Amino acid sequence: MALPVAFFALFFAWPVAAIVTRGLKADGAWRLGRLVDVVTQPDIRHVLWFTTWQALASTALTLLLALPAAHVFARLDFPGKQLLRAVVTVPFVLPTVVVGSAFLALVGRHGLLDELWGVRLDTTVWAILLAHVFFNYAVVVRTVGGLWSQLDPRQEEAARMLGASPLTAWRKVTLPALAPAVAAAALMVFLFTFTSFGVVQILGGPAFSTLEVEIYRQTSEVFDLSTAAVLTLVQFAAVGAILAVHAWTVRRRETALRLVDPKTTARRPRGFAQWALLAGVLASVAVLLLLPLAVLVRRSLDGRGLGYYRALTDADGGTFLVAPVQAVWTSLEYALAATAIAVVIGGLAAAALARRDAGRLVRGFDALLMLPLGVSAVTVGFGFLIALDRPPLDLRQSWILVPLAQALVGAPFVVRTMLPVLRAVDGRLREAAAVLGASPWRAWREVDLPMVRRALLVAAGFAFAVSLGEFGATVFIARPDNPTLPVAVARLLSRPGELNYGQAMALSTILMVVCAAALLVLERLRTDRTGEF
């Protein structure tokens, strides 16, 4: 635990504490009254209300649209099911900037809806809600569908034989068993939408602002660190409460249920109702998930074909100091470095947490590992500039600053992927290796590593995908001569002109293809124990 604890203390706790202290302390005295002053401001209350309201609405809409798909993946067997599972998961690993760009191409000015019917939904709450459904659809399908596929269908069939209607049998037998998984999925979706930044920043416009967007505005545009610090504390408290409830629902989910092999529960569709449900889910996937991505690719192509892609090789001297295509190679280099860091930190933390003799303090660190996913990435990025500015950790001009920020987001995915597999390794195998004279390192290499190798590769893939798309912290610390892909897309979208818009769509398409390729590799490596969120 020494290295993970030191890493999170230096590169998460210290930067966040530095910016909060800078904002709430003046002339050596704490200005705690600033907390009340900020929270009671009408515009801040509106931000808090909209942040909560849109998160609740996004969660409800996601559950409404994704639960039927969870049933289809759990109970029905049909050709192309594994490919469709990968397609459904693609949006989750896409950077939020790409999601915003895809919906901008669909519902924005000169978007598909504007060209066909003269309808624009950008800068409206509906664009934000639909983009959040697009992004979180896979969370519900994977979390709920994973448990649903392991529930014994004979329990529901027994209720049907006793006279219950299909709806009553589902409501009284299946739903109570699924309730912990549904609650866990809902909390995860709420967490992701409550802290939404890239989607709201691109689609919301000046009319809509979440806590994360307002922290960014107060920090980078208004330069009001005290307000940003208060909003960071508010978000921190809200995320802590969400994670506490999530931990409770996960413990409930781990209670005894009659589980069976998921391969035995899926059947070919039978009857009109099941075929209609399958057709409806396929149609919703096509409209909600595939259409925005297809429109994104279409908008990246001008009338001459690949003109926007060719323009990426030219440095215009305005938006970037280098050719935009350089952002592709910069992002890949940063993501590879961040993946290496996340695998080391997350792997060590997972190994410590998997030990059966781990103390309460070590187990408590498991919850702290999730905080970087919910705490403002904007705060972390700006905190890097404030805290890491003095020797021996003066890293403001170092290239390693971006991978460090990205690794903070990737490490929790590594822990969540590797921990169940490490806990499943029989400790007696290590003891037998020790009896035969193997050192602890050799026992791990000969016993644990062969069993967790696939999980390690899956964890590395997830860390690579999320590092590649990290935006909130990177937008502060990426150097002008080395922009990452998400930062490059955001800068291009912020400038007027058809060429800038086309280049943003082209870079977003490249980023989408890279993330999708990484996900398809993960699906090839996936096992039943590492494939669910």
Side-chain angles (χ1 to χ4, degrees), residues 315-518:
D316 61 6
T319 306
F320 305 104
L321 300 179
V322 295
V325 73
Q326 182 62 37
V328 178
W329 312 117
T330 300
S331 289
L332 291 175
E333 292 171 355
Y334 284 161
L336 288 173
T339 300
I341 297 171
V343 167
V344 172
I345 299 298
L348 290 174
L353 293 169
R355 291 181 62 90
R356 290 174 174 81
D357 58 349
R360 181 175 300 179
L361 184 62
V362 174
R363 291 194 298 269
F365 186 66
D366 187 18
L368 297 179
L369 289 171
M370 298 293 291
L371 284 179
L373 296 180
V375 173
S376 170
V378 171
T379 299
V380 175
F382 196 65
F384 269 34
L385 299 181
I386 293 177
L388 306 179
D389 63 341
R390 298 175 184 175
L393 281 176
D394 186 0
L395 302 177
R396 288 180 301 174
Q397 301 301 319
S398 174
W399 67 272
I400 196 64
L401 201 62
V402 173
L404 287 173
Q406 294 173 342
L408 280 173
V409 182
F413 284 90
V414 174
V415 175
R416 296 269 71 81
T417 303
M418 294 189 63
L419 190 56
V421 181
L422 285 171
R423 282 175 173 166
V425 177
D426 193 340
R428 291 174 297 181
L429 297 176
R430 303 188 190 99
E431 296 170 0
V435 170
L436 294 174
S439 64
W441 164 249
R442 185 176 179 183
W444 184 88
R445 181 165 53 87
E446 298 288 348
V447 176
D448 293 71
L449 184 59
M451 296 184 179
V452 303
R453 183 183 292 112
R454 182 169 294 182
L456 184 62
L457 292 174
V458 172
F462 269 118
F464 177 80
V466 298
S467 299
L468 196 65
E470 204 287 321
F471 177 61
T474 308
V475 70
F476 273 100
I477 57 181
R479 294 164 54 179
D481 57 340
N482 281 310
T484 63
L485 274 171
V487 172
V489 170
R491 289 181 185 174
L492 287 168
L493 288 175
S494 67
R495 298 189 65 191
E498 182 180 351
L499 179 60
N500 288 319
Y501 181 82
Q503 287 179 304
M505 296 297 110
L507 281 179
S508 296
T509 302
I510 293 173
L511 190 51
M512 177 190 70
V513 170
V514 174
C515 290

Side-chain angles (χ1 to χ4, degrees), residues 27 109 122 199 236 257 316 415 464 495 497 512:
D27 300 325
R109 184 182 180 185
D122 59 324
V199 168
F236 188 84
L257 291 172
D316 61 6
V415 175
F464 177 80
R495 298 189 65 191
M512 177 190 70

Side-chain angles (χ1 to χ4, degrees), residues 17 32 49 132 142 203 294 317 321 386 431 528:
L32 298 181
W49 164 247
H132 283 161
R142 293 276 187 157
L203 296 176
L321 300 179
I386 293 177
E431 296 170 0
D528 289 336

